[in-house]
Amino acid sequence: MAKQSVKTRFVCSDCGAESAKWTGQCMECGAWNTLSEFSVRADREVTRFSGLATGSQVQRLDQVESADLRRLPSGSGELDRVLGGGLVPGSVVLIGGDPGIGKSTLLLQYLSVIGREHVVLYASGEESAEQIAYRAKRLDIDGRNLLLLAENRLEDVLDAAARNQPSVLVVDSIQTFYSDVLSAAPGSVSQVRECAARLVRHAKQSGSAVILVGHVTKEGSLAGPRILEHMVDSVLYFEGDSSSSFRLIRAIKNRFGAVNEIGVFAMTEQGLRDVQNPSAMFVSRHGAARPGSVVLATQEGTRPLLVEVQALVDDSALANPRRLCVGLEQNRLAMLLAIVHRHAGISLNSYDVFANVAGGVRVVETGADLALLMAILSSVKNRATGSDLVVFGEVGLSGELRPVQRGTDRLREARKLGFERALIPAANAPDRRIAKDLSGLEILPARRIDDAITLFDV
């Protein structure tokens, strides 16, 4: 028999780099106090990586035959949009989100649809088979199309996958599984990385699409080593307020589609349902215009989306007034306040400024600058900009309005929802040919923020 030895290694939870001894700082990424100890039982003669080499040969790129990706439709237009058109065989998808937000519910619903034509295996390490069956019954899911395995040991999952050869394998969640190769506890950095690596190899060798469910930390990022996100093909984040019935899935990484693509769902008693027109859902059409409220035309992946940006400016009793953003970038709020002071002569140093995107949407693009700025000025002067107005544009440090991508698509979405005016950067103004398609929508181009302020007298 081969002699066994125990090796001690220290791995960084941020970058996954290994070290033979513990140090306070990772030598690869520079992070502090991120090294964790784990032990590995290593075979001196045969390692667990034996046999992985496939003997590939060097070849010219033009000699490689590239075929169109064959995708597995999930039955959900929103989920397929985020994935780029459906699940790709042999791909690995990582889905993360807060506890109870609906990750398992979403997978059960749409895997039952895929299971009508393909073999699907659902491996759960968190819930028992009875708990999953109860949820399926509550959601009225046909369990005949879904194979279920309640197990924490990775080797048992891989054996079951080898016997049944599923087209889709779901592991819920990756932090609860362990491998006999390592002696560390489930959920440790070493176990998460090892289990994920073996599941990735299984997906590439067998052609099965693997979906990994991951926990998130209190900061909102995926738990475990950062290298986990680099190993998979797609990373999806489940977003939404627990008090709201709406959920969003955002693609942070996707090798088979557009990044920052979002899918919008509504949580009902029968589970998650697709939202066909999210712009109408996120925009509140008040009977009369209200100060501090501006409609923003943003772009999420390939989809134009209209959301309502709200601002509240009030006198502050603090030496350092508060600056709070929900759904927007905190640093850009401070930058915009400095720009409007320098180039428009409006000082907000003695005011508390609160900004919010209605509906729990998170906007990360710079095209929201002008809408946020107009909402702030509308609130501080208590003057409404009008309920028929839509705004987008990036604001530069010198006060100029910079163009944003896919401006025409944003204008078409605003026209479809009945908006009559659009305040945009001058560089995004459509030409005559495109303007004919936007009849009924008055385009108001501006080059600087003082032009926009003067135009609406706010």
Side-chain angles (χ1 to χ4, degrees):
M1 295 180 61
K3 296 182 179 179
Q4 299 286 333
S5 63
V6 178
K7 294 183 179 181
T8 300
R9 291 290 184 268
F10 297 87
V11 63
C12 176
S13 60
D14 284 354
C15 67
E18 291 188 4
S19 176
K21 62 180 181 179
W22 185 89
T23 56
Q25 185 181 24
C26 175
M27 304 304 295
E28 296 294 333
C29 65
W32 288 90
N33 300 322
T34 57
L35 295 182
S36 302
E37 180 182 1
F38 67 95
S39 300
V40 179
R41 294 194 300 270
D43 194 325
R44 294 181 180 179
E45 297 180 359
V46 181
T47 69
R48 65 184 186 275
F49 302 106
S50 299
L52 291 182
T54 58
S56 300
Q57 298 179 354
V58 178
Q59 52 186 331
R60 291 206 316 263
L61 181 60
D62 59 352
Q63 296 177 339
V64 180
E65 295 183 1
S66 59
D68 294 334
L69 295 176
R70 179 176 58 88
R71 298 178 182 267
L72 304 177
S74 65
S76 167
E78 293 297 304
L79 183 59
D80 288 342
R81 171 192 288 271
V82 177
L83 293 172
L87 281 172
V88 177
S91 64
V92 183
V93 180
L94 176 62
I95 299 180
D98 295 332
I101 199 171
K103 301 185 296 296
S104 300
T105 299
L106 177 75
L107 292 176
L108 272 179
Q109 284 185 255
Y110 298 119
L111 287 178
S112 64
V113 177
I114 299 176
R116 296 172 184 172
E117 299 180 0
H118 304 276
V119 179
V120 176
L121 176 59
Y122 188 98
S124 176
E126 292 186 331
E127 298 177 295
S128 65
E130 291 76 13
Q131 290 175 310
I132 299 175
Y134 175 76
R135 179 187 292 115
K137 181 179 179 181
R138 178 172 55 85
L139 299 175
D140 195 18
I141 293 176
D142 187 0
R144 294 175 296 179
N145 302 327
L146 187 63
L147 299 179
L148 179 62
L149 176 64
E151 182 58 59
N152 295 90
R153 185 171 176 265
L154 180 65
E155 284 75 13
D156 292 338
V157 175
L158 295 177
D159 290 343
R163 292 193 305 268
N164 296 277
Q165 297 182 352
S167 298
V168 181
L169 171 62
V170 178
V171 177
D172 185 9
S173 66
I174 187 63
Q175 280 84 6
T176 62
F177 283 81
Y178 70 94
S179 173
D180 291 339
V181 175
L182 305 177
S183 60
S188 62
V189 172
S190 56
Q191 284 286 6
V192 171
R193 186 177 62 170
E194 175 66 20
C195 292
R198 296 185 63 180
L199 288 169
V200 170
R201 292 199 298 268
H202 169 76
K204 305 307 178 185
Q205 294 173 356
S206 66
S208 299
V210 177
I211 300 178
L212 308 178
V213 179
H215 293 167
V216 295
T217 63
K218 61 182 180 180
E219 290 82 13
S221 59
L222 283 165
R226 190 71 177 182
I227 195 175
L228 183 63
E229 300 183 29
H230 297 283
M231 296 167 61
V232 301
D233 297 308
S234 303
V235 180
L236 310 181
Y237 272 88
F238 223 126
E239 303 174 358
D241 189 355
S242 58
S243 60
S244 174
S245 60
F246 299 109
R247 302 288 188 270
L248 278 75
I249 294 183
R250 186 186 301 271
I252 303 300
K253 170 187 177 182
N254 194 355
R255 291 173 178 164
F256 307 107
V259 296
N260 277 334
E261 193 74 72
I262 67 168
V264 185
F265 302 86
M267 179 65 77
T268 65
E269 295 181 356
Q270 289 75 34
L272 290 165
R273 295 291 182 266
D274 292 4
V275 175
Q276 302 297 335
N277 192 357
S279 294
M281 178 189 69
F282 291 124
V283 175
S284 175
R285 304 302 296 270
H286 305 295
R290 298 183 180 180
S293 177
V294 173
V295 176
L296 162 68
T298 184
Q299 187 78 22
E300 297 291 346
T302 60
R303 162 185 279 170
L305 185 67
L306 268 60
V307 296
E308 184 179 354
V309 177
Q310 301 173 338
L312 175 62
V313 181
D314 194 17
D315 293 332
S316 177
L318 303 175
N320 295 318
R322 288 174 291 182
R323 306 284 189 259
L324 179 61
C325 271
V326 179
L328 294 163
E329 291 291 335
Q330 183 81 21
N331 293 332
R332 297 199 71 83
L333 173 60
M335 183 190 73
L336 291 174
L337 295 179
I339 292 174
V340 74
H341 181 212
R342 177 64 181 272
H343 299 287
I346 301 175
S347 177
L348 300 176
N349 293 331
S350 60
Y351 295 92
D352 291 330
V353 181
F354 306 94
N356 175 51
V357 179
V361 185
R362 183 169 58 90
V363 180
V364 296
E365 69 154 348
T366 58
D369 289 350
L370 183 57
L372 176 57
L373 193 59
M374 296 297 293
I376 292 173
L377 296 178
S378 173
S379 176
V380 71
K381 295 191 175 184
N382 198 28
R383 297 177 184 174
T385 59
S387 59
D388 61 344
L389 173 70
V390 65
V391 181
F392 64 83
E394 179 183 352
V395 179
L397 290 179
S398 59
E400 80 280 9
L401 299 185
R402 306 176 63 87
V404 297
Q405 62 176 350
R406 308 187 71 153
T408 304
D409 293 342
R410 305 177 193 227
L411 294 174
R412 286 179 177 147
E413 181 72 9
R415 179 67 187 91
K416 184 176 68 174
L417 292 180
F419 286 87
E420 300 176 358
R421 298 180 299 161
L423 174 61
I424 63 175
N428 276 125
D431 55 26
R432 294 182 179 179
R433 179 180 57 85
I434 299 178
K436 294 180 180 180
D437 299 334
L438 301 173
S439 59
L441 180 64
E442 182 184 1
I443 306 300
L444 305 172
R447 298 187 180 277
R448 297 183 54 81
I449 60 170
D450 47 359
D451 297 337
I453 295 173
T454 303
L455 183 61
F456 292 101
D457 191 27
V458 296

